[in-house]
Amino acid sequence: MLEFAVLGLLHESPMHGYELRKRLTTLLGAFRAAISYGSLYPTLRRLQAGGWITEVEPDPDDVVTAPPLTGRRGRVVYKLTAEGKERFAALLAGSGPETYDDEGFGVHFAFFSRTDAATRLRILEGRRRRVEERRDGLSQMLARAGERLDAYTLELQRHGLESADREVRWINELIAKEQAGRSPRAGLERPAASPNEEL
């Protein structure tokens, strides 16, 4: 998933390692611990070896100051190649079982605006099935073992069940909007405040 996320971010614009790491941590924060340089730079080297990204000199008029102690790496800018754009498009079109899991779904969802509608729908439906299976398993476990669990474990399991219920409802709403050809933001805009509500 890290490869996919790096290609996706570089598809937006070239970046140096420090900026890329910050953007990845923001993008993947809910799905993975902070990205370390120890995992980022080997991934960047693999992507370079595959011909999907290249190093370029930064534009002197647009230099972003790297933090102290990052050395030469702070000055190297990574850019997607034509082959990298093709690789990202191929990964984007993928909708296998790995895109239904927590991490895979989160990363793919972050790039849904670049994904075609049919693939988005397949991923959402697969994710819904995965979460429904988790929810049903939790529900059965609570029905069988609920009385034997201590109060805190029981609350944790109930929390998991409620979270799964919320996610299924959310995905159902997204699927309905996809099927209707509407953006997820449609209907979510805040109404303007009435004169009486303004201070």
Side-chain angles (χ1 to χ4, degrees), residues 142 145-158:
L142 280 170
E147 294 175 4
R148 296 193 302 271
L149 297 175
D150 68 71
Y152 293 101
T153 304
L154 186 59
E155 280 306 306
L156 185 61
Q157 298 305 317
R158 285 184 181 151

Side-chain angles (χ1 to χ4, degrees), residues 19-158:
E19 182 182 9
L20 193 52
R21 181 175 175 254
K22 278 177 53 180
R23 295 282 308 278
L24 284 165
T25 300
T26 300
L27 178 70
L28 305 179
F31 311 102
R32 167 183 285 202
I35 303 298
S36 70
Y37 289 116
S39 60
L40 176 59
Y41 285 112
T43 300
L44 291 171
R45 284 193 294 275
R46 278 194 308 276
L47 294 175
Q48 280 184 284
W52 297 322
I53 66 171
T54 186
E55 291 183 7
V56 294
E57 288 300 315
D59 181 350
D61 297 331
D62 193 29
V63 173
V64 178
T65 305
L69 306 177
T70 57
R72 179 181 173 278
R73 284 286 168 209
R75 295 187 294 275
V76 174
V77 173
Y78 298 93
K79 180 180 178 182
L80 206 59
T81 63
E83 293 82 4
K85 290 178 182 177
E86 291 174 9
R87 173 69 174 159
F88 178 65
L91 292 171
L92 203 56
S95 60
E98 72 282 355
T99 62
Y100 311 152
D101 293 328
D102 292 344
E103 183 178 312
F105 175 73
V107 174
H108 272 265
F109 193 82
F111 296 105
F112 258 23
S113 63
R114 296 183 179 274
T115 308
D116 67 89
T119 302
R120 287 195 304 260
L121 201 52
R122 276 197 309 274
I123 292 172
L124 287 169
E125 289 170 343
R127 176 63 178 178
R128 179 174 60 188
R129 284 191 303 274
R130 186 66 48 90
V131 177
E132 285 173 338
E133 289 168 4
R134 183 187 308 160
R135 180 190 63 187
D136 294 346
L138 280 169
S139 184
Q140 290 170 10
M141 190 275 300
L142 280 170
R144 285 193 313 266
E147 294 175 4
R148 296 193 302 271
L149 297 175
D150 68 71
Y152 293 101
T153 304
L154 186 59
E155 280 306 306
L156 185 61
Q157 298 305 317
R158 285 184 181 151

